[in-house]
Amino acid sequence: ATNLPLPIEKVPQSISLVSEDFIKAADLKSLGEIAQYTPGALNVGDQEGFGSIVKLRGFASITAFDGLNVGVLSSTSYEPDYAIIDRLEVVKGPSSVMYGVSSAGGLVNFVTKSATATTPDYVSLQYGSWNSFRIEGQTAAALTPSGSLRAIGVAAYDRGNSFMTDVDHSSVILYGGLNWAASDSFTAFLHGGFERHTRTSFDGVPTEADGSPAPLPRSFLIGSKDMNLRANIWHAEGNATWHLSDVVDLSIKGNIRRVTNRGVAPYSYGLDADGNLGLAIQDFSAGIRANDFAIGVSGILHFDSLGLANSFLSLSAIYQDDRDIGAGGQAIFT
């Protein structure tokens, strides 16, 4: 993510890597849960069920895919399923010089899966409490005899209820990618996919005026089983890297994302000592669309041949276009 030809221990920022193996071993289901295992990261919730919000060093984080930002603020319009993620790179601290518009806290970079000679084929089936069910499969293969062009495909279906009354979810995930190693000096990839997520809208239970928890069971839902949010996501990521000589490396990368959220989202507020509270319902039936596009070009000049061992100059240019289209009406009840 840093565009620097340095091992991680020499990068002048605090970086935490979270691998796919760790995510599966700890059975983590969201970025918020991952934040609880990451130093300097704080899970601040999943307002209305759009996606986890994470703060790094007290500031809202920026989200990136394969090293390029998506959205100019903490991206909560959707959270990718972790079947398509190879690892997360949590870069803490100011980073706008390298990433464009950024946050003083840092960013979370999702690195998508690639097809390599060691990428495994598998099928997994899970069943658990609250009628939770998940089936996930992955396959990868060489498309040429030399193995220079490889493909990967991932599919998953996930559904389940919750310990909370009338809360459920379902997800469909499709993902594919091509990785090309034309020579020792040129590599490229193109990844993309589609996801559909449906989940019951829920924004939590407000505390009492003095900050104490409301005297309600953990299973209590402020909302309705008929209040759902539905998200459709199309995304693609690409990269090409040239090692022109021992002096010059060049790369170009881009990503594009189209997210549409529809449904209704309730939230409660103003719980008083008598047990009264307010309820607001936001209507997104017309759809809220997030359209994100980014492209970056970078180059590295190595000065080792001039007698300056391990010295280099890194140059980059980034273009980002982030647009949110649509708005939700609001009905308020007391």
Side-chain angles (χ1 to χ4, degrees):
T2 63
N3 282 328
L4 301 176
L6 296 172
I8 187 171
E9 64 270 14
K10 292 186 178 181
V11 174
Q13 282 184 278
S14 176
I15 300 176
S16 297
L17 298 184
V18 184
S19 68
E20 175 195 11
D21 291 339
F22 178 80
I23 293 172
K24 288 186 175 181
D27 195 28
L28 305 180
K29 301 298 186 183
S30 70
L31 180 58
E33 293 180 1
I34 291 171
Q36 294 173 345
Y37 289 85
T38 305
L42 177 66
N43 176 17
V44 294
D46 180 7
Q47 281 84 340
E48 299 175 345
F50 283 107
S52 299
I53 298 176
V54 170
K55 288 189 175 181
L56 300 175
R57 297 182 173 179
F59 297 88
S61 64
I62 290 288
T63 300
F65 278 79
D66 291 321
L68 285 175
N69 295 357
V70 288
V72 296
L73 295 174
S74 180
S75 182
T76 59
S77 57
Y78 110 101
E79 188 172 334
D81 189 275
Y82 289 87
I84 74 170
I85 300 302
D86 178 72
R87 68 182 184 275
L88 278 80
E89 301 171 345
V90 184
V91 183
K92 283 154 276 187
S95 53
S96 61
V97 172
M98 291 182 289
Y99 304 106
V101 176
S102 192
S103 163
L107 64 82
V108 178
N109 181 43
F110 292 86
V111 180
T112 56
K113 283 185 175 179
S114 291
T116 69
T118 59
T119 301
D121 298 335
Y122 68 83
V123 174
S124 67
L125 180 65
Q126 293 178 308
Y127 186 80
S129 302
W130 316 113
N131 294 318
S132 61
F133 171 82
R134 181 181 178 91
I135 184 169
E136 178 183 325
Q138 174 178 292
T139 185
L143 301 182
T144 59
S146 65
S148 61
L149 182 63
R150 294 181 176 273
I152 183 173
V154 178
Y157 173 73
D158 189 307
R159 65 161 174 78
N161 301 328
S162 170
F163 67 90
M164 297 188 65
T165 304
D166 293 328
V167 172
D168 57 31
H169 73 275
S170 65
S171 299
V172 175
I173 300 96
L174 299 172
Y175 173 81
L178 294 172
N179 285 75
W180 184 33
S183 65
D184 292 338
S185 61
F186 179 84
T187 59
F189 71 75
L190 179 63
H191 301 159
F194 169 78
E195 299 185 23
R196 175 174 293 165
H197 302 284
T198 303
R199 64 276 189 198
T200 305
S201 305
F202 175 61
D203 195 39
V205 179
T207 63
E208 295 190 13
D210 62 359
S212 60
L216 295 169
R218 292 178 67 240
S219 61
F220 188 80
L221 169 68
I222 297 181
S224 166
K225 65 181 180 180
D226 299 318
M227 293 182 178
N228 293 320
L229 285 172
R230 303 174 300 280
N232 290 329
I233 304 101
W234 297 90
H235 66 94
E237 304 81 30
N239 177 284
T241 301
W242 296 267
H243 178 67
L244 297 181
S245 68
D246 292 338
V247 177
V248 179
D249 292 322
L250 295 175
S251 71
I252 181 171
K253 56 188 174 183
N255 63 36
I256 188 170
R257 184 181 67 157
R258 298 288 183 265
V259 183
T260 301
N261 277 292
R262 289 188 170 89
V264 293
Y267 66 90
S268 55
Y269 61 93
L271 177 63
D272 61 26
D274 295 327
N276 300 310
L277 58 78
L279 177 66
I281 301 174
Q282 298 184 86
D283 183 5
F284 304 122
S285 300
I288 296 179
R289 293 177 292 279
N291 299 328
D292 301 320
F293 168 76
I295 188 168
V297 179
S298 63
I300 297 175
L301 300 176
H302 299 270
F303 299 137
D304 299 74
S305 60
L306 301 178
L308 302 174
N310 300 318
S311 297
F312 62 89
L313 174 65
S314 177
L315 303 171
S316 64
I318 301 171
Y319 173 80
Q320 296 170 240
D321 186 271
D322 311 293
R323 303 184 185 188
D324 292 329
I325 304 170
Q330 188 179 65
I332 298 178
F333 305 89
T334 300

